[in-house]
Amino acid sequence: MRVAFFGTPAWAVPVLDALGRHHQVVLVVTQPDRPQGRGLKPASSPVAEYALAHGLPLLKPERLKGNREFLEAFKAVAPEVAVTAAYGKILPKEVLEVPPWGFLNLHPSFLPKYRGPAPVQWALIRGEKETGVAIMRTEEGLDTGPLYAVFRTEIGPDEDAVALSERLRDKGIELLLWTLENLPHLTPTPQEGEASYAPLLTKEEGRIRFAESAQAIYNRHRGVQPWPGSYFFHGGKRVKALRMRPEPGSGEPGVVLGVDREGVLVGTGEGLIRLLEVQPEGKRPMPAADWARGYGVVPGTRLE
């Protein structure tokens, strides 16, 4: 089929690559260049870089609604269908109506749960035991469209947002290709069940809440990877918690119970959390035990 692709981050690149190997990609649409790195120089999105490297037609509109120039360019390539994967912008009605077969969205959740831009992260933070991926026909509402294909899976006990999102994406690619192959014969079914929303993460979401249970802290840690990551404060300085694990036991929330070769054991609202690897502000990652020795962290120290 003649396919237009809308996507932005590195996560979406394998989706575009699969489409290019099985269909004719007539246009790639991605977010405009954004400031990145310490120098804040404008940089292309990973999807834009892939499109340029493979000679695919590329557009980077700042906005879609009321953008006559973009709409005419989109119509000119005559896509039969369009696919979105982590594009990052709401699609207006005039854009949705261009492809005869509409827009398909690869969404890594079991819709209608976790509609929105961060479904994998919030499923982990909220301690879900299972999740899924869906191929949805896009409507004007936020992830409200009917479903062509769904896949449900258990979440691994130590799976973080990076690993889970990639696993769901790869399964979603299979579902997407199957949907495109059978699209003329498929009728999407309405979403059923209680809806929930998964907003973009903020930096504050990475802050460890020691008053929560150790399992809840660990769930949050898995969900905030790779950004904003888990962190706490010691001596007024931010310390990133790179690796941790929950353990049985009890102790006052945020207070260090012990330091040994394996790490730093800290009390929580229920159970204990063992810090295994940390990164002090302005320093390199290091074993938590080395950090404790170097920064005077002993039993009784309170971490904020």
Side-chain angles (χ1 to χ4, degrees):
M1 300 184 75
R2 294 176 58 82
V3 180
F5 179 77
F6 290 59
T8 300
W11 182 85
V13 170
V15 185
L16 173 56
D17 181 72
L19 288 172
R21 286 184 282 108
H22 293 84
H23 297 276
Q24 182 183 359
V25 177
V26 296
L27 180 65
V28 174
V29 182
T30 191
Q31 296 246 16
D33 297 356
R34 303 295 188 200
Q36 294 182 20
R38 290 186 176 180
L40 295 179
K41 294 182 178 180
S44 298
S45 74
V47 163
E49 292 178 355
Y50 179 94
L52 291 170
H54 291 79
L56 298 174
L58 176 67
L59 290 175
K60 306 177 184 180
E62 186 65 51
R63 61 182 176 85
L64 298 180
K65 190 171 184 178
N67 188 336
R68 179 59 53 183
E69 182 180 358
F70 168 76
L71 186 62
E72 293 306 317
F74 187 33
K75 290 179 178 179
V77 298
E80 295 174 273
V81 67
V83 170
T84 60
Y87 173 50
K89 285 182 180 291
I90 299 295
L91 302 173
K93 182 179 180 181
E94 63 264 27
V95 173
L96 290 172
E97 291 177 342
V98 171
W101 290 102
F103 275 73
L104 306 182
N105 175 239
L106 191 162
H107 187 81
S109 84
F110 197 71
L111 288 168
K113 295 191 74 172
Y114 300 110
R115 294 170 174 169
V120 173
Q121 292 88 337
W122 283 104
L124 289 167
I125 290 171
R126 292 174 181 163
E128 298 287 357
K129 301 299 184 185
E130 62 179 9
T131 186
V133 61
I135 304 301
M136 176 192 70
R137 182 181 173 104
T138 306
E139 295 180 341
E140 286 188 82
L142 181 62
D143 298 330
T144 59
L147 306 176
Y148 280 105
V150 295
F151 171 75
R152 199 163 193 154
T153 181
E154 292 186 355
I155 299 174
D158 297 309
E159 210 167 13
D160 67 12
V162 176
L164 180 57
S165 63
E166 290 180 355
R167 182 163 70 86
L168 293 175
R169 177 204 61 205
D170 293 347
K171 183 62 180 181
I173 290 172
E174 294 180 21
L175 297 182
L176 175 63
L177 295 176
W178 176 86
T179 301
L180 289 171
E181 183 179 350
N182 295 280
L183 193 55
H185 313 293
L186 298 177
T187 301
T189 58
Q191 297 181 25
E192 296 180 352
E194 185 177 355
S196 59
Y197 181 59
L200 283 172
L201 296 183
T202 65
K203 198 163 190 176
E204 181 63 23
E205 295 299 342
R207 186 167 185 159
I208 296 174
R209 288 96 160 134
F210 287 109
E212 294 181 345
S213 71
Q215 188 60 54
I217 291 170
Y218 185 55
N219 290 341
R220 177 174 295 276
H221 173 70
R222 293 157 59 208
V224 297
Q225 305 305 317
W227 189 91
S230 295
Y231 63 90
F232 58 91
F233 290 89
H234 174 252
K237 297 291 184 71
R238 185 191 304 265
V239 181
K240 294 180 180 179
L242 303 180
R243 292 192 299 118
M244 65 174 71
R245 70 166 180 254
E247 295 189 2
S250 62
E252 186 178 350
V255 175
V256 174
L257 274 71
V259 179
D260 57 26
R261 294 177 60 185
E262 198 171 10
V264 178
L265 204 57
V266 187
T268 73
E270 180 183 341
L272 304 174
I273 202 79
R274 184 179 291 277
L275 302 174
L276 302 171
E277 185 181 14
V278 301
Q279 184 176 7
E281 196 170 308
K283 303 293 183 180
R284 294 181 177 180
M286 63 181 68
D290 293 351
W291 166 75
R293 285 192 295 269
Y295 287 79
V297 176
V298 296
T301 299
R302 180 175 294 278
L303 307 180
E304 303 296 341

